[in-house]
Amino acid sequence: MILTKQFRCIHSASCVCTKGHLTEEVLFLVFNHLNWNPKLIVALSCVCKWFDDLAKRVLWKEFCRTRAPKMMLDLQSSGSHSVDGNWRALGKLLIYCSGCNKNGLFNNINIPGHFVYRTRFSRTSGKSFLLPQCRTDVLYVSDPCEHLDQGDEGDVGFFRGIFKSFALSKVRKMLISRSAPMHPTEVCPYCKARLWNMLAAKMIPSSASCRLGAYEDCIEYYVCLNGHVLGICTLLPLSDTDEASEE
């Protein structure tokens, strides 16, 4: 069944949604039984603004906690009860590879975005994406989502990530002090915030390409105002990757 988004509902006494619908507690138990299925959370969000608000406040939060429990505990360990950019944005980041449109964020590459079944995010890997003076920051980065045989572009990998407490991070302070440029038109596919160009700011260390198994001069990534990271790289052939690891 296709559900149409409705913005008129404010869940007032006249709203049809109030006539016999389930309470928050019951919906929580139902979605817990469904293992916080993201497709069903999206479907519920389309019913009305009240259900959309419930999904943002509760359901996406529990989805994130279930999918990446240790990561979520760490992201919230600073005392905050929310995550930069909201729980729905983080839930999408966990399961969605943004890809790239032609003439979009990564120039002429056209690879559609898609959902991924499972992705590993690593705090240790995140250190490789930070300059030495910023490595006290906490950054979780995914393994690259591989898109092989992309013509002249070769084997392309997309990666994504999130900073802990980005507003207080050294990376953010350095971006501001260097007057790093923001992309003029594109925004974060997860939270719609503006994007800083880490390549233009000269803040991508060589260790990032080693971690990804990519060519050193073929890696680029952005970080949004909420600390979401999305990037692209050209992957080395498997034999070359093995040799680089040995070195």
Side-chain angles (χ1 to χ4, degrees):
M1 180 176 62
I2 298 176
L3 299 173
T4 304
K5 188 80 173 181
Q6 307 236 351
F7 291 98
R8 297 187 303 275
C9 172
I10 58 173
H11 222 60
S12 64
S14 61
C15 175
V16 293
C17 298
T18 62
K19 298 180 180 179
H21 77 78
L22 301 175
T23 64
E24 285 192 20
E25 292 77 9
V26 172
L27 284 170
F28 182 93
L29 294 174
V30 169
F31 276 88
N32 182 36
H33 180 72
L34 296 170
N35 197 27
W36 313 105
N37 186 304
K39 293 182 179 180
L40 296 179
I41 294 176
V42 171
L44 183 75
S45 299
C46 294
V47 175
C48 74
K49 288 186 70 175
W50 186 84
F51 287 110
D52 189 36
D53 177 69
L54 173 66
K56 289 177 181 177
R57 287 187 295 103
V58 180
L59 304 183
W60 283 117
K61 180 178 181 179
E62 296 303 323
F63 168 80
C64 292
R65 286 179 166 179
T66 302
R67 276 297 178 99
K70 292 182 179 179
M71 178 175 158
M72 294 306 117
L73 282 174
D74 188 25
L75 291 177
Q76 289 190 283
S77 63
S78 59
S80 173
H81 293 289
S82 63
V83 172
D84 293 343
N86 75 52
W87 289 105
R88 181 168 62 181
L90 181 54
K92 183 177 180 181
L93 184 141
L94 291 178
I95 60 173
Y96 187 74
C97 170
S98 63
C100 183
N101 296 321
K102 192 171 184 179
N103 300 321
L105 200 58
F106 302 112
N107 297 324
N108 294 322
I109 298 173
N110 185 24
I111 299 175
H114 61 92
F115 289 98
V116 291
Y117 175 68
R118 182 174 295 152
T119 305
R120 185 180 70 93
F121 285 80
S122 170
R123 176 172 172 164
T124 302
S125 296
K127 296 292 183 186
S128 301
F129 291 79
L130 303 173
L131 294 175
Q133 57 268 45
C134 297
R135 286 183 180 167
T136 55
D137 290 346
V138 175
L139 169 62
Y140 285 85
V141 173
S142 72
D143 291 333
C145 180
E146 298 182 3
H147 297 261
L148 306 180
D149 301 323
Q150 297 298 316
D152 294 339
E153 303 297 334
D155 296 339
V156 173
F158 289 100
F159 57 94
R160 55 201 192 278
I162 184 171
F163 278 89
K164 176 182 177 180
S165 302
F166 181 65
L168 305 175
S169 68
K170 291 183 178 179
V171 166
R172 182 178 181 274
K173 292 177 182 177
M174 185 175 290
L175 285 166
I176 294 172
S177 67
R178 294 189 177 190
S179 300
M182 289 187 169
H183 198 284
T185 57
E186 297 295 315
V187 295
C188 176
Y190 304 108
C191 67
K192 306 304 180 186
R194 297 191 68 189
L195 294 158
W196 269 302
N197 188 328
M198 298 291 283
L199 180 62
K202 299 181 179 179
M203 292 177 61
I204 301 180
S206 59
S207 54
S209 59
C210 294
R211 174 63 67 175
L212 291 166
Y215 293 100
E216 187 172 349
D217 58 347
C218 295
I219 176 173
E220 181 179 7
Y221 74 89
Y222 291 80
V223 58
C224 81
L225 295 172
N226 288 316
H228 301 134
V229 170
L230 59 154
I232 189 173
C233 63
T234 300
L235 299 168
L236 288 164
L238 184 59
S239 58
D240 293 347
T241 305
D242 293 340
E243 291 172 6
S245 298
E246 290 174 3
E247 293 175 2

